[in-house]
Amino acid sequence: MPRIARLKSAECSYHVMVRSISEVQLFKEGEDKDRYLMTLKRYQSVFDFKVYAYCIMDTHAHLIIYANGADISKIMHGLNLSYAQYFNRKYGRHGHLFQDRFKSKIIDTDSYLAALSGYIHNNPTDIPGYRDRVEDYPYSSLGVYLGKAKDIFKLLDVSFVLGHFGKNISLARRQYVEFMKCC
């Protein structure tokens, strides 16, 4: 039975999700998460897309990407293939690393974009030590949103999402924190 065609458009924003196959952690250590983000940056330089938010967990990752004229399938194919080759070489394994192909959903409203960014940024609440301080989780864009961390990979466009919460950055950050409590 053929796969269902992916809904996509070169001018859309997407919620992109990747997950590991069941017996393997997708990211075993911080270095692996850094490598995934560095590789994302490399592909951003090629395809000129925007990243609005991310959260990299041990077994999966969430991204909000604005394609900006690029094909989301080409972006994610390159990113995931490059990362899988790195991972398999580093850990002496072969074969598939990702469960199925990446999942993507078109973000079609500003309210969905805001709610999704809150959902993604709240992902670390299940990690011991981060329940009440998700902004300190180093592999999420939330710290950058709130001005508590630097965007060391220079990946993010936080102004797009924060712009929905106010024109003044301090006010927008405070309102975003309040909004996240509801997500």
Side-chain angles (χ1 to χ4, degrees), residues 96-159:
H96 295 284
L97 177 61
F98 292 93
Q99 184 182 82
D100 301 321
R101 56 186 181 159
F102 72 95
K103 294 185 179 6
S104 65
K105 185 170 181 184
I106 291 174
I107 301 168
D108 53 3
T109 65
D110 288 344
S111 60
Y112 177 41
L113 175 68
L116 178 60
S117 70
Y119 166 77
I120 288 172
H121 287 143
N122 273 316
N123 253 240
T125 57
D126 294 334
I127 300 173
Y130 291 103
R131 175 176 273 323
D132 296 319
R133 50 185 201 91
V134 291
E135 68 277 4
D136 293 334
Y137 182 66
Y139 300 101
S140 164
S141 52
L142 181 58
V144 178
Y145 266 64
L146 302 182
K148 295 182 174 202
K150 292 191 185 300
D151 181 11
I152 60 172
F153 299 105
K154 301 193 182 334
L155 274 170
L156 293 165
D157 178 347
V158 299
S159 62

Side-chain angles (χ1 to χ4, degrees), residues 18-84:
V18 295
R19 182 169 296 284
S20 65
I21 54 176
S22 59
E23 70 273 5
V24 176
Q25 271 192 327
L26 192 54
F27 307 100
K28 292 186 177 202
E29 55 191 32
E31 180 182 24
D32 300 335
K33 293 171 185 170
D34 287 339
R35 179 60 174 254
Y36 194 77
L37 292 170
M38 284 188 288
T39 306
L40 180 62
K41 178 59 181 178
R42 189 175 73 213
Y43 280 91
Q44 186 180 50
S45 298
V46 172
F47 290 105
D48 198 34
F49 57 88
K50 295 183 180 188
V51 178
Y52 292 144
Y54 65 82
C55 189
I56 312 295
M57 305 294 281
D58 289 347
T59 60
H60 66 285
H62 293 274
L63 307 165
I64 297 178
I65 293 177
Y66 169 63
N68 197 30
D71 183 332
I72 194 68
S73 294
K74 288 181 180 177
I75 294 167
M76 293 308 299
H77 173 75
L79 171 62
N80 289 346
L81 177 63
S82 180
Y83 180 75

